Amino acid sequence: MERIYIARHGFRLNWINTNWKSETGLARDPPLAAYGLTQAQELADYFTTLPEDERPTAIFSSPYYRCLQTAQPTAKALNLPIHVEHGIAEWYSPVVSDSNLLHPRPGSAESLQSYFPEVDTKIWTTPVWYPSRKGESVEEVHARVDGFLTAFGTVLSKVKEIDGRRPLLITHAATAIVLVRSLTGDRRLPLKVGCCSLSELHPKPDVKSVSPLGSYYGVKLADGSHMKGGSSREWGFDDIEIEEGRVVEDPGEPGTENEEDFPVGSQLQLLSYL
């Protein structure tokens, strides 16, 4: 990967309207507000201003509706499909220790294609990683992203139908922060990520490792200068941490007590296209 782009989704509707509807029926899956849709278009417009040899060559999105909405204008502008990847999905803090409830999990690429025709269902058919529905500590989300990136680099180099030179990853605030930390090798990098802000990372010239972990440096980090309104609704881990790595537990989603926390972790052994 000669460069990696990482963007957070746009401004969410539930931040300004409590009477919102989940288009997919999934809990905790709000769509973008009108302002967020504008931000998504501004992100796409920015990419079209770049020389062709600097534009993203592939788009990977979290399966949440707001991320797919954010990816859609860029997919249309660059004539690229959207590959759905659970490894860059939302971060949820751990469910309370005595609870048997789980966090929600979005559906498959096939189910999401009915909302977004740009979603690929033929090439990237199985995500390389699934986060646990029991939630993650700060340490665990770092471990998840480390594992995802290692698997992602391996898979991307072997799937010839995807040009993996300059991937764009569209994700959420916490996951965007951890992706940058893992790629730069700095787990304590202080970073706050705004809606539709963009990070751009290039390979370190003195690193020869085949692993992406610690092999990149930031050309821009959580930058919002491509948007008329600049960066908004910035978030960092210090906004939720109680102390080193410990966060407030989450009650979980009602109605999930009989659902499975499966699959979890790397899916490399299941990827038939390797």
Side-chain angles (χ1 to χ4, degrees), residues 43-162:
L43 181 65
D45 293 342
Y46 167 73
F47 285 127
T48 61
T49 68
L50 298 179
E52 287 199 17
D53 62 355
E54 296 180 12
R55 297 176 185 177
T57 55
I59 301 172
F60 295 86
S61 174
S62 160
Y64 284 85
Y65 197 86
R66 57 193 178 273
C67 289
L68 292 163
Q69 279 185 296
T70 303
Q72 190 173 46
T74 298
K76 289 180 176 179
L78 302 183
N79 194 29
L80 292 171
I82 301 171
H83 307 295
V84 173
E85 177 50 61
H86 285 249
I88 55 174
E90 179 70 286
W91 169 69
Y92 292 117
S93 57
V95 294
V96 292
S97 53
D98 60 349
S99 171
N100 61 349
L101 299 180
L102 301 172
H103 292 297
R105 174 176 284 170
S108 65
E110 288 80 4
S111 68
L112 295 169
Q113 192 185 54
S114 63
Y115 305 99
F116 302 94
E118 297 81 9
V119 166
D120 157 50
T121 61
K122 296 181 180 179
I123 303 172
W124 202 264
T125 53
T126 301
V128 302
W129 203 277
Y130 283 96
S132 171
R133 296 184 63 190
K134 295 179 181 179
E136 301 162 305
S137 67
V138 174
E139 181 65 28
E140 286 168 338
V141 70
H142 281 80
R144 183 238 295 188
V145 169
D146 281 356
F148 159 71
L149 284 170
T150 301
F152 179 69
T154 298
V155 175
L156 200 57
S157 67
K158 295 183 178 181
V159 180
K160 302 306 180 185
E161 296 88 346
I162 298 176

